[in-house]
Amino acid sequence: MPHRDELDYCPPAPVPPPSRLRLLDIIIRLRRNPLECWSEDFFRDPISKLRLPFMDAFLVHDPQAIKRVLLDNAKNYPKDPIQRRILSSGLADGLLSVDGERWEVQRRALAPLFALRTVNSFSAAMLTAADELVAKWSKLGAATIDVAADMTLITLRVLTLTIFSDGIGGDLDEFSSAMTAYFNVVGRIGALDLLGVPPSVPRPGHRRLRRTMAYFEGIIDRIVGMRRERLARADVPSDLLTLLLKALDPATGLRLDMTEVRSNILTFLSAGHETTANTLTWSLFLLSQSPEWCARVREEAERELSSSDGLADRLIVARAVVEEALRLYPPIAALSRSAVEGDLLGEVAVGPRSLIVIAPYVLHRHRTLWERPNVFDPSRFLPDARAAIPRFSYLPFGIGPRTCIGSSFALQEATIILAVLILNFDMRLSEPADVWPVQRITLRMAKGLPMQLRIRKSTDGATACPPTVP
Ligand code: HEM
């Protein structure tokens, strides 16, 4: 039987200030770590109002009101200028950022790229990436490594294998560092945003981004050029790039132009990279703190990993751990919208141009919606209990028309990679550990995740899991 202490393990998170912060404190904490802004009342109240200098903000954590904003009356709540500003550098023409008719055309055209059948066909690429990492770590012996950095590399590797199955023809480490640098600069919400200064006014550090964007665009344009030549010869691999170049809106017959193709590749790379890497990093950390759940994931992996058919559906325990990690540390910690017209959220009147913030980080730890909200307990996501979780209380991927198009891809990837790594390695947190959540664009670990690895041997002395590449 697990220990009572283990059942009640509360992983690291800022303790909410007991009362509301003053605007100046909010600005300081927003720059340092937005997670520190949420005072205790937000975790108890359904809707809270905050007066900002030029607008009202409503912090909405009532499932019915969330349903109204993100689903029933979604047209009245487009993405707000802060979210747009954060997304605007380079991704402006991709699915994440466009609005109105342009978004509708793109969403319809891109839907087949992430349909369940297509995503299932990517499990081989996900296993390949996992096996490559097993091989790399196996060579290290009993080493201490930064797991967060390797999760960033492996999720980028999965995306490059599934988007450009014939490779990026460049240095993956360099590409990954450029992505991280990009997020560090773009992901900060500062005083200029809160004061309503338009996105066209340059923010500190943004000048440096131009070089990074030019670097990304150069690589992508070269790869697309080569793929178009192969398309003309009808000699193409079946990957996301081929699907993207062929994508057609069924309603209008429109194809994406080159700017949209480039922006969407960058969008997939950026939206699907750090988010999934953080999910995996938090999952591995949480398992390192819970011998009971680690053993359950390992036992399941030993049983199920021998074949790749329908694999993600059979890894039920690994998936529950991933979903619990997404609850405690949702990579997109807050969603924001702007009200076009006035509206009623329950009994609360919302004026036009109000900022609406729905924070999965707060919602997932809300005292009225979850039992023992700060406790790590993946059993909440085992099949029977999972079915009882109300739909609008758990939103790691958002909900409604703008819900994450890559959610099945991400869940499948994180589940498979987690199972393979836990099967093959004992992973222990290096002491003294300093694990702390911080929100940039994504919610990540402030100082990486240093862990000691030890390869597991099966009884015959072989590694626990021979390569699973089908
Ligand atoms: C654990 C991993 C992931 C998380 C937590 C996540 C989370 C989210 C969330 C919360 C949204 C909605 C934002 C909003 O409503 O304002 C979103 C949208 C989106 N995500 Fe993900 N995402 C993940 C992985 C991925 C992957 C792997 C891809 C693609 C390869 C992807 C592509 C997108 C795109 C294109 C959108 C915009 C959809 C639209 O507006 O129509 N995401 N994601």
Side-chain angles (χ1 to χ4, degrees), residues 79 83 95-96 103 107 271-272 275 279 337 396-398 402 404 410:
K79 293 189 177 181
Q83 197 160 340
L95 186 65
L96 201 58
W103 169 78
R107 182 88 195 196
T275 44
T279 307
R337 299 290 192 265
F397 296 104
R402 303 298 303 240
C404 178

Side-chain angles (χ1 to χ4, degrees), residues 143-315:
T144 298
I145 55 146
D146 180 4
V147 168
D150 272 350
M151 291 308 106
T152 307
L153 281 179
I154 193 173
T155 52
L156 188 57
R157 176 75 178 134
V158 168
L159 282 165
T160 52
L161 281 172
T162 49
I163 300 175
F164 320 110
S165 55
D166 41 3
I168 67 164
D171 183 345
L172 198 62
D173 286 1
E174 190 186 2
F175 196 87
S176 175
S177 313
M179 276 277 166
T180 307
Y182 172 82
F183 273 116
N184 271 335
V185 177
V186 172
R188 284 176 193 255
I189 301 167
L192 295 182
D193 297 307
L194 283 188
L195 295 171
V197 176
S200 52
V201 175
R203 272 32 179 190
H206 278 210
R207 213 176 261 267
R208 268 181 287 140
L209 284 182
R210 284 196 212 132
R211 265 216 324 267
T212 312
M213 287 314 299
Y215 164 78
F216 289 144
E217 285 176 14
I219 291 191
I220 290 170
D221 286 2
R222 186 169 41 79
I223 297 174
V224 170
M226 289 187 316
R227 183 61 62 87
R228 283 200 198 281
E229 281 172 22
R230 287 184 71 175
L231 264 173
R233 300 196 305 268
D235 152 40
V236 279
S238 109
D239 58 15
L240 284 173
L241 179 57
T242 298
L243 292 172
L244 183 63
L245 292 175
K246 289 182 170 173
L248 198 72
D249 170 18
T252 58
L254 289 173
R255 274 188 205 288
L256 273 55
D257 62 28
M258 184 56 203
T259 313
E260 291 174 316
V261 165
R262 192 198 285 136
S263 280
N264 274 302
I265 292 174
L266 272 176
T267 298
F268 300 158
L269 285 171
S270 61
H273 170 212
E274 286 274 339
T275 44
T276 317
N278 295 344
T279 307
L280 268 164
T281 306
W282 285 111
S283 302
L284 286 166
F285 164 71
L286 290 165
L287 286 183
S288 77
Q289 303 303 298
S290 171
E292 183 220 349
W293 282 100
C294 189
R296 290 179 71 172
V297 170
R298 189 167 283 152
E299 189 193 321
E300 177 183 76
E302 264 159 12
R303 204 176 53 240
E304 304 294 347
L305 270 177
S306 51
S307 106
S308 69
D309 275 353
L311 182 57
D313 293 337
R314 286 183 281 116
L315 296 172

Side-chain angles (χ1 to χ4, degrees), residues 70 107 271-272 275-276 279 319 322-323 326 330-332 335 337 360 364 386 394-412 414:
L70 294 182
R107 182 88 195 196
T275 44
T276 317
T279 307
R319 182 169 166 137
V322 167
E323 291 204 271
L326 282 165
I332 307 296
L335 308 173
R337 299 290 192 265
H364 294 176
R386 176 78 179 85
Y394 180 64
L395 301 179
F397 296 104
I399 203 160
R402 303 298 303 240
T403 189
C404 178
I405 201 167
S407 57
S408 312
F409 184 105
L411 278 173
Q412 177 175 308

Side-chain angles (χ1 to χ4, degrees), residues 400-430:
R402 303 298 303 240
T403 189
C404 178
I405 201 167
S407 57
S408 312
F409 184 105
L411 278 173
Q412 177 175 308
E413 174 185 357
T415 303
I416 289 177
I417 295 175
L418 184 71
V420 172
L421 296 181
I422 290 297
L423 177 61
N424 282 281
F425 297 96
D426 285 320
M427 301 170 78
R428 219 161 280 186
L429 197 59
S430 293

